């Protein structure tokens, strides 16, 4: 550590992303899509290459329009970002500090406490209810700004829109991170017509097969998106590059491919849930593209290591409340059949 690093960062704990090995595993650890990007995204991405000598449109107007049309809002309601992580970062930068924390679920996306610490806000969390559900009563009862993923990160559980509407009735910001909404859950977007204090955050990393493209967006009132742009233009005005923007437009326009991919993931999730339960695994009710599961009596880290030795990579978190679990991304049906077969071998061999 150099002597130049500011004191406030000396003990700072950054977010730890999931492993990204280059091949060799059935990769079920970072909630990506098992399917390639749509052909339409590919064509547009390649066509954009020839103009990479020029800066992109800093407003990303073409993509904002496609998103606005797809989700029934106006372009001024949309802010596109370099991954939805950047949208979340802008939200924390704009609205959180030492006297304005965001309350979040105790178990959720690991970036919320990191962003919170980065902007000097206090950590404020509410424990999950049994079954891994977000405790909507705690969020409704609290008066300040709130943020949560719906379906929730790590547990995949879904909170009904009626609870979100209750939260919106108080004069505070309600940030709904819908990274996993496309796998059978319901979006809070219809509430936007009635509530100017709602921010919905989306990503193309999961259901649109573009994790490596780094494309996310926020949808909110025009007033809120203008405030978020204040941060964007003070930080990285050309935040979403030309090639990524082109791929995103192709992916959103290809509704048929999107529907096929998400339906396939839902089918594979239902298969995995059924088979894993038959093997004695316990899990939360997930509407996301992953399942959080455990084998009673077995440490999640040990189970992850055994799966990894057999070529299947899943995610393990050593944080309290999660250390006995593994989080399994839903891949293709073929990948999930292999996962189940390997899990069965491990359990029947009683090697753990
Ligand atoms: N929100 C949640 C709940 C997530 O799990 C993730 C992905 N890890 C993100 C946001 C960020 O996704 P991206 O930056 O790839 O859009």
């Amino acid at each position: 550590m150099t002597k130049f690093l500011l004191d406030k960062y000396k003990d700072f704990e950054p977010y730890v992303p999931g492993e990204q090995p280059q091949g060799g595993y059935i990769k079920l650890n970072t909630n990506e899509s098992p399917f390639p990007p749509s052909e339409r995204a590919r064509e547009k991405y390649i066509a954009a290459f020839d103009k990479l000598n020029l800066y992109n449109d800093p407003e990303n107007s073409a993509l904002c329009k496609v998103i606005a049309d797809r989700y029934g809002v106006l372009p001024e309601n949309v802010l596109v970002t370099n991954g939805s992580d950047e949208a979340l970062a802008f939200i924390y930068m704009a609205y959180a500090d030492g006297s304005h924390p965001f309350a979040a679920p105790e178990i959720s996306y690991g970036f919320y406490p990191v962003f919170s610490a980065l902007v000097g806000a206090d950590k404020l969390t509410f424990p999950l209810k049994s079954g891994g559900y977000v405790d909507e009563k705690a969020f409704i009862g609290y008066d300040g700004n709130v943020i949560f993923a719906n379906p929730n990160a790590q547990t995949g559980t879904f909170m009904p829109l009626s609870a979100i509407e209750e939260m919106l009735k108080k004069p505070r910001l309600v940030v709904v991170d819908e990274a996993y909404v496309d796998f059978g859950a319901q979006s809070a977007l219809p509430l936007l017509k009635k509530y100017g204090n709602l921010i919905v955050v989306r990503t193309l990393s999961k259901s649109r097969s573009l994790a490596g493209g780094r494309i996310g967006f926020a949808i909110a009132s025009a007033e809120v998106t203008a405030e978020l742009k204040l941060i964007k233009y003070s930080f990285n005005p050309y935040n979403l590059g030309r090639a990524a923007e082109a791929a995103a437009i192709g992916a959103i326009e290809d509704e048929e491919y999107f529907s096929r991919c998400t339906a396939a993931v839902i089918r594979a999730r239902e298969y995995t849930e059924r088979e894993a339960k038959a093997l004695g695994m316990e899990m939360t009710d997930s509407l996301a593209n992953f399942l959080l599961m455990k084998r009673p009596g077995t440490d999640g880290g040990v189970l992850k290591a055994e799966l990894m030795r057999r070529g299947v990579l899943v995610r393990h978190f050593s944080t309290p409340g999660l250390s006995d679990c593994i989080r399994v991304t839903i891949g293709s049906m073929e990948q999930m059949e292999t996962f189940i077969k390997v899990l069965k071998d491990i359990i029947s061999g009683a090697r753990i």
Side-chain angles (χ1 to χ4, degrees), residues 67-90:
I67 292 170
D69 289 349
R70 168 66 177 78
Y71 293 102
V73 295
L74 296 171
E76 58 258 40
N77 299 122
V78 182
L79 171 81
V80 301
T81 54
N82 197 328
S84 60
D85 282 338
E86 194 183 57
L88 295 167
F90 290 170

Side-chain angles (χ1 to χ4, degrees), residues 15 83-85 88 109 112 149 153 177 179-180 203 205-206 214-216:
Y15 176 72
S84 60
D85 282 338
L88 295 167
Y109 186 30
Y112 306 150
D177 178 349
Y180 301 108
T203 180
S205 296
K206 321 290 178 186
R214 311 304 303 125
I215 305 133

Side-chain angles (χ1 to χ4, degrees), residues 35-67:
F35 307 115
S38 105
E39 268 305 310
R40 200 175 167 88
R42 176 195 170 82
E43 282 158 21
K44 292 203 178 264
Y45 181 83
I46 289 169
F49 177 83
D50 290 340
K51 288 199 176 150
L52 285 187
N53 55 317
L54 302 175
Y55 279 109
N56 52 292
D57 165 19
E59 284 284 322
N60 297 104
S61 315
L63 176 56
C64 286
K65 168 133 187 20
V66 168
I67 292 170

Side-chain angles (χ1 to χ4, degrees), residues 265-338:
V265 168
I266 293 169
R267 271 198 307 279
R269 180 183 69 213
E270 287 167 358
Y271 160 83
T272 309
E273 181 173 355
R274 202 171 52 241
E275 296 294 318
K277 279 183 177 165
L279 293 173
M281 301 295 287
E282 292 177 359
M283 65 201 73
T284 49
D285 300 326
S286 173
L287 284 183
N289 67 339
F290 57 82
L291 287 164
L292 183 73
M293 58 176 80
K294 65 179 168 194
R295 181 172 186 239
T298 303
D299 177 73
V302 173
L303 191 51
K304 178 201 155 164
E306 287 294 321
L307 285 159
M308 203 164 168
R309 278 194 335 117
R310 294 163 173 80
V312 179
L313 189 58
V314 299
R315 188 94 188 251
H316 174 253
F317 300 90
S318 44
T319 39
L322 289 175
S323 61
D324 55 347
C325 301
I326 53 171
R327 192 196 66 190
V328 183
T329 299
I330 303 301
S332 64
M333 189 60 99
E334 198 186 353
Q335 289 178 320
M336 301 325 290
E337 282 167 2
T338 305

Side-chain angles (χ1 to χ4, degrees), residues 219-242:
I219 300 188
S221 72
E223 216 175 343
V224 164
T225 55
E227 287 166 358
L228 295 174
K229 280 182 192 171
L230 184 90
I231 306 294
K232 166 189 149 133
Y233 283 106
S234 314
F235 183 79
N236 187 8
Y238 299 100
N239 61 341
L240 186 67
R242 193 180 273 284

